Amino acid sequence: MSGVRFDVTDSLVEPYAAQPTLLLRLRITEDDGLPIHAIALRCQLMIEPQRRGYDEAAAGRLYELFGDTPQWGESLRPFLWTHVSAMVPGFTGETEHDLAVACTYDFEVAAAKYFHALRDGTVSVSLQFSGTVFRKEGSGFSAVPVGWDVDASYQLPVSVWRGVMDRYFPESGWMRVSTETLDRLQQYKAERALRGWDETLERLMKEAGVDEG
């Protein structure tokens, strides 16, 4: 196998991406001391919700994902966040590389719903790596697979995810609705000369008798 190890040393907001993105800084170590030409890297990120605690308010916000807390012994299981890939340039011994992780505020995605429900602390993330390590040998190259058992774990601060969303969606969230529903909302808003979507939804909730908070 490749003899390559990965550790996550930091996480930060990518301020200039075309979509909400956070960066996981990888420390990549080559144990054999052999020069590496490049790594075509793939990574599966899993969220492990069972590895942290939740207060009553967070538990209520997580009901749609995991049900009532008495069910959590069965329902609180690791689930897929996303897949990412990267091309790591050549190095010898050790290097660092930022893994770009695209994020979404789409509440149809479990990871977005989960992150939004949290206000503080960290999220346990498991990273499972695969791909190909290219080594320069003589006048050619050799290709060695990244071992299937190569992985890493990281405690991602909730504040980093919120920093990403605040950067791209300042003081707001995002909700996907069908085109038909959007057309009806637009008509409702126009007929009542409402100024924005917050005011429109607040009026609807008031008419439905939904309490604030």
Side-chain angles (χ1 to χ4, degrees):
M1 290 296 179
S2 62
V4 175
R5 293 184 289 110
F6 300 89
D7 296 288
V8 183
T9 62
D10 200 4
S11 55
L12 57 153
V13 178
E14 167 53 76
Y16 304 115
Q19 60 181 323
T21 302
L22 66 83
L23 302 176
L24 296 178
R25 181 149 297 163
L26 296 180
R27 182 174 61 232
I28 308 171
T29 306
E30 204 286 321
D31 291 328
D32 300 326
L34 301 174
I36 288 179
H37 176 71
I39 304 176
L41 187 64
R42 297 186 297 274
C43 181
Q44 175 179 275
L45 282 74
M46 301 288 293
I47 291 174
E48 299 180 314
Q50 76 280 9
R51 294 187 178 275
R52 60 159 287 161
Y54 304 91
D55 59 24
E56 186 176 347
R61 292 188 292 268
L62 289 167
Y63 174 81
E64 190 175 358
L65 280 177
F66 305 123
D68 289 321
T69 50
Q71 301 174 300
W72 283 17
E74 295 297 327
S75 62
L76 222 60
R77 293 286 186 266
F79 63 92
L80 178 66
W81 178 5
T82 190
H83 292 91
V84 296
S85 59
M87 182 61 72
V88 180
F91 67 95
T92 300
E94 184 175 290
T95 190
E96 289 191 340
H97 187 82
D98 288 339
L99 194 65
V101 182
C103 302
T104 179
Y105 225 150
D106 183 354
F107 274 18
E108 299 301 313
V109 178
K113 196 177 299 183
Y114 177 76
F115 277 116
H116 179 78
L118 306 179
R119 297 294 181 264
D120 54 25
T122 62
V123 172
S124 182
V125 179
S126 171
L127 299 89
Q128 300 167 354
F129 297 98
S130 60
T132 306
V133 177
F134 298 95
R135 301 182 187 276
K136 194 168 185 178
E137 295 185 355
S139 59
F141 297 92
S142 64
V144 182
V146 174
W148 62 269
D149 57 343
V150 176
D151 57 15
S153 61
Y154 180 65
Q155 295 297 317
L156 174 68
V158 172
S159 59
V160 173
W161 184 86
R162 290 201 167 273
V164 171
M165 293 308 161
D166 289 343
R167 174 78 185 186
Y168 289 86
F169 303 109
E171 297 183 2
S172 61
W174 189 92
M175 180 173 61
R176 182 170 61 179
V177 299
S178 69
T179 302
E180 180 182 355
T181 299
L182 184 60
D183 289 342
R184 291 167 64 191
L185 283 170
Q186 178 66 50
Q187 183 179 358
Y188 178 93
K189 174 174 171 287
E191 289 175 350
R192 291 158 181 79
L194 301 174
R195 291 171 296 178
W197 292 115
D198 275 342
E199 188 176 355
T200 301
L201 294 173
E202 286 174 4
R203 175 74 69 86
L204 282 167
M205 287 187 289
K206 184 177 181 180
E207 291 177 0
V210 177
D211 294 333
E212 293 185 4

